Amino acid sequence: MIRKAFLPVAGVLCALAFMGFAQQQWSVHDPERPMPPVVTPGPAGPPVAPPGDAIVLFDGKDLAHWTDAKGQPARWRVADGHMEVVAKTGSIRTVKVFGDCQLHVEWMAPAPPKGESQARGNSGVFLMDIYEVQVLDCFENKTYADGMTASLYGQFPPAVNACRPPGEWQAFDIVFRRPRFDEQGGLVSPARMTVFHNGVLVHDCRELTGPTAHKARPPYKSHADKLPISLQDHGDPVRFRNIWVRELE
Ligand code: MG
């Protein structure tokens, strides 16, 4: 779809589209895709204080800035300065909507660890409620590469595995550029993500192939310029704290 959208455009754009296509030589969830090397990050620290122009989405006190998928109050548990996924209450999303942004999220996988592969500390940070950075406990836990911690789920593994052990706070710092669509709904430029996991660069301005899906890589579909940020209920009691965002539009 990216190729299709770009092919009619001359010169440089064609070359860029080809590069984007060439990046993705593996089929979705390919078990043969190599796992990235492990890099031990620096030790976990206290919450990273938000800069002056940040919008604080969660300061540890309440879920006032969040709802469930139906717009009803979010039902995740809040205690001791964090929120925790309550299984089957559903994913939660921000009341405010965002496009291009810098997002800081701290999270913790349950300890002791329970389950294997995708069933160990699974959650997710979705930009625009569509594009997922995977939350998973991949500290000594094997899964398919494009579904591991900090993967752009189903599309790109992180450059390295910078996981801390379960029970320790971890951080994602994400720079997100939303996709651009023309008035007919055609793709003008794909979504891009730069991601740091525990301070380690794991995606450098990566072009997404389209929306996040399971066992599929669907094409882009035109959508609003701003949509909620959401956190996934995948059934595991993953914790989050200190979530803030800076708008970059
Ligand atoms: Mg997930």
Side-chain angles (χ1 to χ4, degrees):
M1 186 65 178
I2 300 175
R3 281 189 95 186
K4 263 191 204 159
F6 273 101
L7 279 174
V9 186
V12 175
L13 285 181
C14 279
L16 284 174
F18 178 73
M19 283 163 65
F21 180 79
Q23 277 182 319
Q24 194 47 279
Q25 54 187 304
W26 297 93
S27 58
V28 66
H29 310 327
D30 192 334
E32 301 301 316
R33 193 169 188 167
M35 298 299 286
V38 171
V39 168
T40 305
V48 176
D53 63 350
I55 297 166
V56 176
L57 296 173
F58 180 64
D59 65 2
K61 295 193 184 87
D62 59 57
L63 296 175
H65 297 286
W66 300 81
T67 70
D68 69 11
K70 293 179 184 141
Q72 299 302 307
R75 285 173 289 156
W76 290 12
R77 196 168 74 92
V78 176
D80 306 324
H82 63 257
M83 61 163 104
E84 184 178 296
V85 177
V86 176
K88 299 202 165 71
T89 62
S91 299
I92 65 171
R93 56 171 63 173
T94 55
V95 175
K96 195 172 158 56
V97 291
F98 302 94
D100 291 350
C101 64
Q102 173 189 345
L103 177 64
H104 177 86
V105 177
E106 298 177 21
W107 58 273
M108 180 194 282
K114 237 177 86 184
E116 302 279 312
S117 186
Q118 293 288 304
R120 186 180 294 190
N122 196 332
S123 181
V125 177
F126 282 74
L127 283 296
M128 305 195 90
D129 203 29
I130 294 174
Y131 308 102
E132 182 184 19
V133 181
Q134 170 74 313
V135 169
L136 192 72
D137 176 10
C138 278
F139 186 83
E140 298 170 357
N141 174 39
K142 207 171 163 346
T143 189
Y144 45 85
D146 70 15
M148 64 172 291
T149 318
S151 63
L152 306 183
Y153 184 82
Q155 300 183 21
F156 298 102
V160 298
N161 178 348
C163 280
R164 293 194 179 112
E168 292 189 16
W169 285 104
Q170 312 202 40
F172 282 161
D173 287 281
I174 301 167
V175 179
F176 175 71
R177 294 291 177 182
R178 64 178 172 84
R180 264 62 178 176
F181 301 95
D182 62 24
E183 286 184 359
Q184 288 71 46
L187 184 69
V188 174
S189 60
R192 293 185 177 86
M193 289 222 218
T194 296
V195 180
F196 293 84
H197 180 199
N198 296 330
V200 181
L201 181 68
V202 292
H203 297 286
D204 184 2
C205 202
R206 182 80 78 182
E207 291 185 359
L208 279 77
T209 61
T212 298
H214 180 55
K215 295 184 178 167
R217 292 200 187 116
Y220 280 96
K221 236 167 95 182
S222 177
H223 56 64
D225 290 351
K226 292 189 176 190
L227 288 165
I229 292 165
S230 59
L231 302 174
Q232 186 182 42
D233 170 10
H234 203 281
D236 299 333
V238 173
R239 293 177 179 177
F240 292 89
R241 73 174 184 189
N242 190 32
I243 304 176
W244 49 261
V245 62
R246 297 180 59 245
E247 295 186 287
L248 301 177
E249 296 262 350

